[in-house]
Amino acid sequence: MRLTGPIGIGVRALLGAGITAVTLLASAYVITVFAAAVLIFVAMQLGPLEFTETGFLWALAIGAIPVLPCFAIVIAHAIRLERVELLEGTVPAAEIDANGGRTLEASATRLATQFDIATPEVRVRSDTTPLAYTTARPTDPVLAVRRRSSPVIVVSKGLVQTLSSAELEAVLAHECAHLANDDLQLISWLLVPLFAAEFLYEAHEDDEDSEDNEDKQWQLDPLGWTLTSLSLVGLGVFSRGRELAADRAAVEATGDPGALASALERLANRRHRRRRRPSTDLRHAQSTNAINIMPTLGEGGDLGGLRSTHPPLEVRLRELRSVAAA
């Protein structure tokens, strides 16, 4: 079963890619211009160079040109590093629980046949936070015209322990739908600025991880807040539509809208019972939150508005009810 997204999904993809590209290019250009300005200023102070105001501006513009090929290399490296982080600490499903692991693998194989995709490998994280997302291997091509390699579906122990077998299969179907719709490659690119922002600023987070300290951090760090917010806007424009499309496709594959609906409700209820942060220390929690089947950061982690990466639960449940009634 090959899924083709509606026109709206395509428009969202273009908008998301455009916002992300502008964010990345602007960030790279600002950094490059700043570095070039410092070098030119030092050279002028030492005497060998003299610039008029116009000449100085032209020198900055020309000095920023070499950033483009370097920029492409950095982006490719960032995507591979992103994949490494998403797979860190995971093991094949069968190594966690022989019987349960084989059940997950059998479900993934059956669903892959229905969706006409390569059978994904199922890997498990030890986190107690419920997680389910898809990613590629670090060695896979960053940009591929055809899907040649087997992708990876990652679930956590917390997810397996929280959901029933029917709900687990519905979640796996949701992730397979993302693969069938070719979401994985675009999402990898859209995650780059968010991942970069986390990588640059997570070192400044307080060990106590309190909400007050985090708010103070962003008040003192407008650059980090701006980069993260723009990243979430670009990702969310596409991600909110892709989640609804994957929900519908999962129901078509399993024929059981109730299983996915109950899984989403169960995960939402568990999220609301937790603090803002996950119960397990997740590295790059915001980017993991963005690609998980449900937000992982608790009620406060879903920022709402343009920065929301997931549709509201009520919207997803209403869509599932409409599919069931059709």
Side-chain angles (χ1 to χ4, degrees):
M1 179 171 58
R2 184 75 172 91
L3 300 177
T4 302
I7 295 177
I9 296 295
V11 172
R12 283 176 175 269
L14 291 175
L15 286 174
I19 294 171
T20 301
V22 169
T23 301
L24 289 171
L25 287 172
S27 301
Y29 189 80
V30 167
I31 293 172
T32 304
V33 168
F34 177 77
V38 171
L39 292 176
I40 292 173
F41 179 78
V42 171
M44 291 174 63
Q45 293 299 312
L46 294 176
L49 291 177
E50 292 185 4
F51 285 96
T52 64
E53 182 177 345
T54 303
F56 182 75
L57 294 176
W58 273 107
L60 288 180
I62 294 172
I65 293 177
V67 75
L68 295 177
C70 298
F71 182 63
I73 295 174
V74 170
I75 293 300
H77 178 72
I79 291 176
R80 290 194 172 94
L81 183 60
E82 170 192 306
R83 294 170 177 175
V84 170
E85 293 287 347
L86 291 173
L87 289 174
E88 185 178 18
T90 65
V91 297
E95 292 187 14
I96 294 291
D97 181 353
N99 294 326
R102 282 195 292 269
T103 300
L104 290 173
E105 291 172 346
S107 295
T109 300
R110 182 172 61 256
L111 290 166
T113 302
Q114 288 182 261
F115 283 104
D116 191 23
I117 59 174
T119 301
E121 179 187 4
V122 181
R123 299 184 68 86
V124 178
R125 293 177 63 151
S126 60
D127 302 270
T128 57
T129 300
L131 299 172
Y133 58 83
T134 59
T135 186
R137 294 177 175 81
T139 55
D140 290 343
V142 172
L143 183 62
V145 178
R146 296 182 178 180
R147 296 169 294 172
R148 298 176 179 175
S149 56
S150 174
V152 181
I153 295 178
V154 176
V155 298
S156 66
K157 280 188 174 180
L159 184 88
V160 175
Q161 294 168 354
T162 300
L163 303 182
S164 67
S165 58
E167 291 168 342
L168 274 174
E169 181 159 354
V171 168
L172 290 177
H174 175 96
E175 298 305 322
C176 286
H178 283 313
L179 297 174
N181 280 329
D182 287 325
D183 291 337
L184 179 57
Q185 185 163 271
L186 182 56
I187 285 295
S188 295
W189 285 84
L190 296 180
L191 275 177
V192 168
L194 179 58
F195 184 84
E198 289 181 315
F199 187 83
L200 291 172
Y201 293 102
E202 68 179 358
H204 301 293
E205 291 184 359
D206 192 274
D207 290 337
E208 294 181 0
D209 199 27
S210 71
E211 186 173 336
D212 291 340
N213 286 337
E214 185 178 359
D215 291 340
K216 291 178 182 178
Q217 173 198 340
W218 288 121
Q219 291 172 7
L220 297 174
D221 189 6
L223 179 60
W225 182 89
T226 300
L227 180 57
T228 299
S229 295
L230 289 175
S231 304
L232 288 171
V233 170
L235 179 62
V237 165
F238 176 59
S239 180
R240 290 189 296 272
R242 79 190 265 275
E243 292 298 332
L244 293 175
D247 285 349
R248 291 192 296 268
V251 171
E252 292 178 10
T254 62
D256 187 359
L260 182 57
S262 63
L264 296 177
E265 289 182 306
R266 196 186 301 271
L267 294 175
N269 289 335
R270 172 162 175 165
R271 181 189 69 173
H272 292 159
R273 289 196 299 268
R274 296 197 316 266
R275 295 175 55 206
R276 182 177 183 182
R277 288 290 185 181
S279 56
T280 305
D281 181 21
L282 295 178
R283 294 190 63 188
H284 301 287
Q286 194 69 262
S287 54
T288 305
N289 172 80
I291 61 175
N292 193 39
I293 187 170
M294 285 287 290
T296 57
L297 296 182
E299 190 171 4
D302 191 358
L303 300 176
L306 292 176
R307 291 186 294 164
S308 176
T309 56
H310 292 71
L313 176 63
E314 295 76 15
V315 173
R316 298 178 75 173
L317 295 178
R318 184 171 64 246
E319 290 290 319
L320 291 174
R321 285 194 294 268
S322 67
V323 172

